[in-house]
Amino acid sequence: MSTADFAEAHAGKKPGDRIQCLVVTPEKTIIDEMVDFVAVPLHDGELGILPGRSPVIGRLGYGELRTKVGDQVRRYFVDRGFVQVRDDVVTVLTSRAIPAAAIEAGAAKAELAKAQAIRAVGDLEQDDRERAIGRARALVHVATK
């Protein structure tokens, strides 16, 4: 996106404008706060969201969700789900959201080793193995970043 495109997309938005970020799991609401920026891991790449973003619905992959308020960045591991952006509200529905500080790197690496050790005979088992490895790699990435 060029500087002119960025400026046009955010016309009328002032520095300090914020977006509401909601991250919800089946158990509880993990995040409900006003932020400057949100980045979510879509199944096919990362989506960065600023105030004034056009509405969008996307399918999450597993990976790092980041929020930024001023100079403070908070990081979380999310395990698939959906994201909706509408009227400066980012809603993330996910099965699991873990603050990066709560993830033990050793446990994440052990989970990756366990996933890599899975024996897969058929296509379905191979798909399950690949998903487990991808999820564990993302967890290790968030834990060690």
Side-chain angles (χ1 to χ4, degrees):
M1 175 182 273
S2 72
T3 305
D5 292 338
F6 181 84
E8 182 180 329
H10 292 85
K13 295 292 176 183
K14 301 176 285 305
D17 280 356
R18 294 204 168 153
I19 52 179
Q20 182 178 9
C21 180
L22 292 164
V23 177
V24 181
T25 68
E27 292 83 29
K28 65 181 180 175
T29 299
I30 304 297
I31 303 171
D32 183 359
E33 62 188 18
M34 300 301 288
V35 299
D36 299 325
F37 173 78
V38 178
V40 295
L42 296 179
H43 73 98
D44 59 352
E46 184 175 81
L47 174 66
I49 305 159
L50 289 166
R53 172 73 168 91
S54 298
V56 67
I57 294 177
R59 185 173 58 141
L60 295 175
Y62 18 79
E64 183 180 59
L65 177 142
R66 293 185 313 279
T67 63
K68 184 175 180 185
V69 178
D71 291 336
Q72 183 180 15
V73 176
R74 292 187 187 165
R75 301 172 39 250
Y76 301 83
F77 171 78
V78 294
D79 192 352
R80 302 189 319 185
F82 296 93
V83 61
Q84 177 187 27
V85 180
R86 183 173 168 217
D87 298 329
D88 285 339
V89 177
V90 178
T91 305
V92 173
L93 304 174
T94 182
S95 61
R96 184 167 62 153
I98 307 168
I103 302 170
E104 294 180 24
K109 290 176 182 176
E111 189 173 322
L112 176 57
K114 182 179 174 183
Q116 291 171 330
I118 295 172
R119 296 205 181 258
V121 177
D123 289 344
L124 291 176
E125 291 172 336
Q126 183 64 28
D127 290 345
D128 289 345
R129 179 180 185 272
E130 292 303 317
R131 271 193 298 278
I133 290 172
R135 181 180 295 114
R137 280 185 178 147
L139 189 62
V140 168
H141 174 76
V142 173
T144 58
K145 192 170 181 185

